[in-house]
Amino acid sequence: MNKNDLRNKMQSGFLEAAPDVYEAVLKAAEKNRQLSQDTEFQEIDEKNRLLSRDTESRKTKGLMGGSMEEGTCKEQCDSRKGNVIWGNFSKYALSACAGFALFFICLFGMLGKNEDSIYVVMDINPSIQIVLDESCQVRKLQGLNEDGKNVVEKLEWKEKDSLFYTIDVLLEDVVKESYLHEGGGILVTVFAEDKALYQDLEKNLGIEIDGKLEDMGVSHVTTAFQYADGNPAGAGRTLLETQLAENFSADEQEVQQMTVMELIEYCQECIPGKLELSPSSREQQQNPSEQSKDGENSQRKELVPLNNNSEDAKNSAVRATSDVEDDTAKDEMDIGNDTCKADDKQQKSDEKKEAGQDNASQAELHNQDDDNDEQQDQKPLPTVQPAVQTQPESPSQAQPEPMQQEGISSESEALTKDTEDKKENKNKSNKKKNKNNKDKGNKKKDKNNKDKTNNKDNDNKDKNNKDNDKKVNNNKDNDNKVNNNKQNGKEVNNNRDNDNKVGNSRNSTNRNASSPQSR
Amino acid sequence: MQKVAAKRKVYIDKTLFERICQGDQDAFRELYELSYSPLYAFLLSYTLNAEDAQDLLQDTFVQILNNCHLYREQGNPMAWMMTIAKNLFLMKCRKERMEGINYEDVEYQLGFDDITNVENRMVLEKMFELLTLEDRNIIILHDVSGLKHREIAEMTGMPLGTVITRYNRGIRKLQKQFAERRPT
């Protein structure tokens, strides 16, 4: 049965069941009017009686001056006014009392304890204040800066929503508007009189925020909590800023210009224990040291294996240089966020460069020594060793013996200078040579690789040709055999024919021999 | 008296009250015709007794007639009349408590035996059998009286969501009941 059917049946059912009381209503209404009229007449009669009593009493006393009529009129007017006033006194008194009561209630309500006793301030980059009642239901949302006000205006929230739901909606909006991103920070300040309440909120909010960010796919966000009592004065981060500036002589302007993440990190360094982190934020702080170690080991693994081929060494060198380039590009992008991470990356890149250079120098040595591909392939590569040839001579060896005379000493100094210059030139030339050799080596390698591939192709072709030749030869042999067989067959036939002829000839001679004797 | 056919929505013109205050009996008759059935249903839902509901219905219209000048054009006039009816019921309950009568002990007689249409009677009986007072009142206010959910929420003091869920719950119960009873 549809809703409409039900509705129709209900309406028609009640219409049928409802009694008709129209006339009874009219009768009752008339009775009431009569009663009301009667009461009015009675009131008027009573009033008149009262008035008449008053006038009589005044007449007897003779207090009134002027005409009696005027006096009576005045008296009547005054009495009426008095009656009106005194008659309505109760109403006026009640209304006055109600007004005073409202006034005092309002006063006590303003001065008394606020129901909104809990304030939660979230500093992401917009700062938003959430006002809660005792049952942690949201009473009010307020943006403390321009971005915060914009966010609150767009946010869909209602009074008496739970705090966790409001924060979920807030985080969604903030991530959409790209106020919060990976590597960012959230500072949650809870203003409450009861610290136990703060601790409870801190635990639950931490889990809620971490879970929501994980669902949205935003990682590496640090969430920190701080407790404050008293009235909230502005944003939560101002408390930290003032504390850092007053107690730790931090520059106010610098601290104010810090991002939330930087402020949290700075505060943790200066005031350890002041802030409490959410569970995932704690894990992030513990794990990055392990992650960095893993990263270094993996990089070392890439650079170590050099024993196999020069090609691999070349490839690893190419990888090292490309990694270095990538790291530098990333460093340029990440400036301003994580200084420590940037420093680590630079160290790693330096290590990679050094390792890459070592690999390249080793590759050069191998290419200089070997000409043939087979020899290059066969020769085992040495372990990591510095290129002795390219290194400059130690200065101690190059220094000449000190001369006793000054002129000689000056000459010696000049000589030493010359030698040093020559050494530098040599080094430069060697470096150039090395570069050239590198290029040559690379070219040779390329050539070798090409040749190898060509040779391999040729070999394959030769093999194929050989196989084809073999096949051809086999086919030829088979043909020859067949031909031989044919020839043999012919010869056999010829021989048979010959034998037959011989046989015939013998037979013919024997006949001839037998026939003359018979005559 | 001709019974007005059941309408999907009860629309009461607000100017009727002004005319009633001026003594226009036709206006009062028009108001009565439009509203006596929903008011009776609402009162019956509270009293569970046809006679008491009838008495209260009469008192309600007398109050409306006497106090029509107090009506302020705010919202649905039907909601104003329903509040008068409810207040009268509550006053009666207080009187009876004062007198020592327990209203809940009185056997309820809904008076549906006089309904000729069997299906209509079954629907009304199931309403009073299956539904709670609040669910029933919400359905009567919405489907019989024509009030909107928002108006019902304001009148009863319940949240809008609660009103909507209770309404849907009640309707589903009735639909389920009549779906099980389909003739094979």
Side-chain angles (χ1 to χ4, degrees):
Chain A
M1 199 181 283
N2 291 336
K3 280 186 188 178
N4 290 330
D5 292 336
L6 277 172
R7 187 186 295 127
N8 291 332
K9 288 183 191 308
M10 277 189 263
Q11 284 179 353
S12 55
F14 280 117
L15 199 69
E16 206 173 339
D20 186 13
V21 296
Y22 180 71
E23 290 177 3
V25 167
L26 288 176
K27 284 179 184 177
E30 284 177 4
K31 282 181 184 178
N32 285 331
R33 277 174 203 164
Q34 287 175 0
L35 284 169
S36 63
Q37 283 176 0
D38 291 337
T39 52
E40 281 179 5
F41 285 132
Q42 285 175 5
E43 285 175 1
I44 290 164
D45 288 336
E46 285 178 4
K47 284 176 187 176
N48 288 327
R49 282 173 201 170
L50 286 169
L51 284 169
S52 62
R53 280 178 192 173
D54 287 335
T55 52
E56 284 176 2
S57 63
R58 280 171 187 171
K59 277 178 186 178
T60 54
K61 287 178 182 179
L63 294 172
M64 293 297 292
S67 63
M68 295 297 287
E69 289 180 356
E70 287 180 358
T72 54
C73 286
K74 280 182 185 177
E75 284 175 357
Q76 282 175 6
C77 289
D78 290 335
S79 65
R80 277 178 197 164
K81 280 180 187 175
N83 286 328
V84 168
I85 289 164
W86 287 110
N88 292 327
F89 176 75
S90 61
K91 289 181 187 175
Y92 293 135
L94 280 171
S95 60
C97 288
F100 281 120
L102 275 171
F103 177 69
F104 284 116
I105 285 164
C106 290
L107 263 179
F108 284 119
M110 294 284 283
L111 296 173
K113 194 176 177 181
N114 278 333
E115 289 181 359
D116 306 334
S117 56
I118 305 166
Y119 294 82
V120 175
V121 178
M122 291 190 70
D123 291 301
I124 299 167
N125 181 12
S127 295
I128 292 157
Q129 186 185 74
I130 304 170
V131 183
L132 306 172
D133 59 6
E134 289 176 351
S135 55
C136 287
Q137 286 180 330
V138 175
R139 287 286 186 189
K140 195 177 169 184
L141 272 181
Q142 193 179 356
L144 299 175
N145 54 11
E146 285 184 8
D147 291 333
K149 287 174 187 172
N150 291 334
V151 168
V152 169
E153 278 178 10
K154 293 175 189 174
L155 206 63
E156 294 178 359
W157 69 280
K158 293 176 193 174
E159 281 191 26
K160 295 190 181 180
D161 276 344
S162 75
L163 173 63
F164 300 103
Y165 174 76
T166 307
I167 283 174
D168 281 350
V169 172
L170 181 67
L171 286 172
E172 281 177 7
D173 197 49
V174 154
V175 169
K176 269 186 197 175
E177 299 287 330
S178 65
Y179 288 120
L180 182 64
H181 48 80
E182 287 191 14
I186 302 174
L187 177 65
V188 182
T189 310
V190 180
F191 294 84
E193 292 178 359
D194 187 8
K195 194 160 185 184
L197 178 67
Y198 157 73
Q199 287 169 354
D200 187 33
L201 269 177
E202 179 255 316
K203 275 181 200 173
N204 291 321
L205 276 177
I207 292 165
E208 181 70 25
I209 290 169
D210 289 342
K212 184 67 186 175
L213 291 172
E214 193 180 334
D215 290 340
M216 290 193 292
V218 181
S219 59
H220 300 290
V221 172
T222 303
T223 308
F225 294 87
Q226 69 166 341
Y227 170 71
D229 56 357
N231 290 324
R237 64 174 287 167
T238 52
L239 286 174
L240 271 182
E241 288 166 5
T242 50
Q243 204 170 3
L244 289 167
E246 286 172 4
N247 298 331
F248 298 92
S249 64
D251 190 5
E252 280 189 23
Q253 287 181 357
E254 281 185 15
V255 169
Q256 283 173 2
Q257 286 172 5
M258 281 181 184
T259 62
V260 177
M261 184 66 203
E262 288 168 355
L263 185 67
I264 290 168
E265 287 177 349
Y266 189 64
C267 183
Q268 282 185 311
E269 288 173 6
C270 296
I271 319 170
K274 165 75 177 171
L275 299 177
E276 290 171 10
L277 299 177
S278 67
S280 68
S281 305
R282 264 178 253 148
E283 285 178 8
Q284 282 169 26
Q285 284 203 345
Q286 288 168 7
N287 286 334
S289 58
E290 294 175 358
Q291 286 176 359
S292 64
K293 286 179 186 175
D294 293 333
E296 287 176 359
N297 289 328
S298 64
Q299 288 166 4
R300 282 173 195 162
K301 282 177 188 175
E302 287 177 1
L303 297 170
V304 160
L306 296 170
N307 294 321
N308 294 324
N309 288 322
S310 62
E311 292 177 0
D312 291 333
K314 184 202 169 187
N315 290 328
S316 62
V318 169
R319 275 183 221 159
T321 54
S322 64
D323 288 337
V324 166
E325 289 174 356
D326 291 336
D327 286 335
T328 53
K330 283 180 185 176
D331 289 339
E332 289 175 357
M333 293 296 286
D334 290 338
I335 285 168
N337 285 330
D338 298 323
T339 56
C340 292
K341 284 183 183 177
D343 292 330
D344 290 330
K345 282 180 183 176
Q346 283 177 359
Q347 288 176 2
K348 288 172 192 175
S349 64
D350 290 331
E351 288 173 2
K352 281 182 191 176
K353 278 181 186 174
E354 290 174 1
Q357 286 175 357
D358 291 330
N359 295 326
S361 63
Q362 290 169 14
E364 289 168 10
L365 288 172
H366 298 308
N367 289 322
Q368 285 174 1
D369 293 329
D370 298 324
D371 293 326
N372 294 322
D373 296 333
E374 293 179 355
Q375 290 176 359
Q376 285 179 0
D377 291 329
Q378 289 173 2
K379 279 186 183 178
L381 297 173
T383 55
V384 176
Q385 286 178 1
V388 177
Q389 293 177 1
T390 57
Q391 278 185 355
E393 294 176 359
S394 59
S396 60
Q397 292 176 1
Q399 282 179 0
E401 294 178 355
M403 305 300 288
Q404 292 178 356
Q405 296 180 1
E406 289 181 2
I408 296 167
S409 66
S410 63
E411 288 177 355
S412 67
E413 286 176 359
L415 283 170
T416 55
K417 282 182 184 176
D418 289 331
T419 52
E420 285 175 359
D421 290 330
K422 283 178 184 176
K423 283 175 191 174
E424 287 176 0
N425 290 326
K426 278 184 185 176
N427 289 327
K428 285 179 184 176
S429 64
N430 285 326
K431 283 181 184 176
K432 284 181 184 175
K433 282 181 186 175
N434 288 328
K435 282 183 185 177
N436 291 325
N437 288 326
K438 276 184 194 177
D439 294 331
K440 284 180 185 176
N442 291 327
K443 286 179 185 174
K444 279 186 184 177
K445 281 184 183 177
D446 291 331
K447 280 183 186 176
N448 291 326
N449 289 325
K450 283 180 186 175
D451 292 333
K452 276 186 185 178
T453 54
N454 288 327
N455 287 327
K456 281 182 184 176
D457 292 332
N458 289 327
D459 290 333
N460 289 324
K461 282 180 185 174
D462 290 333
K463 282 180 185 177
N464 289 326
N465 289 327
K466 282 180 186 176
D467 291 333
N468 289 327
D469 290 333
K470 280 182 185 176
K471 285 180 186 175
V472 165
N473 289 324
N474 287 324
N475 290 326
K476 282 182 182 175
D477 290 333
N478 289 325
D479 290 333
N480 288 325
K481 281 180 186 176
V482 167
N483 289 325
N484 289 325
N485 288 324
K486 283 181 183 175
Q487 285 175 359
N488 289 325
K490 282 182 184 176
E491 288 176 358
V492 165
N493 290 326
N494 287 326
N495 289 326
R496 282 181 189 169
D497 291 332
N498 289 325
D499 289 333
N500 288 326
K501 283 179 182 175
V502 167
N504 291 327
S505 64
R506 281 181 187 168
N507 290 326
S508 64
T509 51
N510 289 327
R511 284 177 189 165
N512 289 326
S514 64
S515 62
Q517 289 177 356
S518 61
R519 286 186 191 166
Chain B
M1 183 183 69
Q2 287 181 354
K3 293 199 173 179
V4 180
K7 292 181 182 178
R8 192 165 177 272
K9 280 188 179 179
V10 178
Y11 176 70
I12 295 170
D13 192 4
K14 293 173 186 178
T15 56
L16 282 174
F17 291 96
E18 292 177 4
R19 287 162 59 190
I20 291 166
C21 289
Q22 292 168 3
D24 190 351
Q25 273 203 350
D26 292 334
F28 181 70
R29 185 59 183 263
E30 190 178 339
L31 181 70
Y32 176 83
E33 294 284 343
L34 288 170
S35 58
Y36 84 99
S37 172
L39 280 170
Y40 177 74
F42 187 63
L43 287 165
L44 186 64
S45 176
Y46 275 108
T47 59
L48 301 174
N49 187 294
E51 290 178 359
D52 292 336
Q54 188 176 346
D55 293 336
L56 286 170
L57 181 67
Q58 186 178 328
D59 294 338
T60 304
F61 276 108
V62 170
Q63 285 285 317
I64 289 165
L65 195 57
N66 292 332
N67 298 319
C68 57
H69 59 282
L70 296 175
Y71 170 73
R72 297 287 177 267
E73 289 185 12
Q74 292 173 359
N76 198 330
M78 182 62 81
W80 180 68
M81 292 195 283
M82 291 287 184
T83 50
I84 292 171
K86 186 181 173 184
N87 290 333
L88 286 170
F89 167 74
L90 293 173
M91 281 168 61
K92 186 172 181 178
C93 284
R94 277 176 221 148
K95 275 184 190 176
E96 286 175 354
R97 275 179 208 163
M98 295 283 283
E99 291 171 8
I101 298 168
N102 192 357
Y103 197 79
E104 292 175 355
D105 292 338
V106 176
E107 288 182 2
Y108 60 86
Q109 292 175 352
L110 299 170
F112 293 149
D113 297 332
D114 298 332
I115 297 172
T116 54
N117 192 325
V118 175
E119 286 186 358
N120 296 345
R121 192 175 71 202
M122 278 170 62
V123 167
L124 297 187
E125 282 174 354
K126 287 297 166 188
M127 267 181 75
F128 283 83
E129 185 183 324
L130 297 174
L131 302 180
T132 60
L133 175 66
E134 288 171 346
D135 294 352
R136 191 168 59 233
N137 284 344
I138 288 166
I139 288 171
I140 287 168
L141 287 170
H142 186 265
D143 287 339
V144 181
S145 308
L147 294 179
K148 295 175 186 174
H149 289 302
R150 198 177 293 276
E151 291 166 344
I152 295 168
E154 287 174 4
M155 186 183 145
T156 56
M158 281 194 278
L160 179 61
T162 307
V163 170
I164 292 167
T165 49
R166 286 198 167 173
Y167 172 78
N168 289 324
R169 189 170 64 192
I171 291 290
R172 256 186 261 126
K173 273 187 191 175
L174 290 173
Q175 282 176 335
K176 193 179 174 182
Q177 183 69 28
F178 288 104
E180 288 172 359
R181 283 194 166 198
R182 271 181 193 171
T184 55

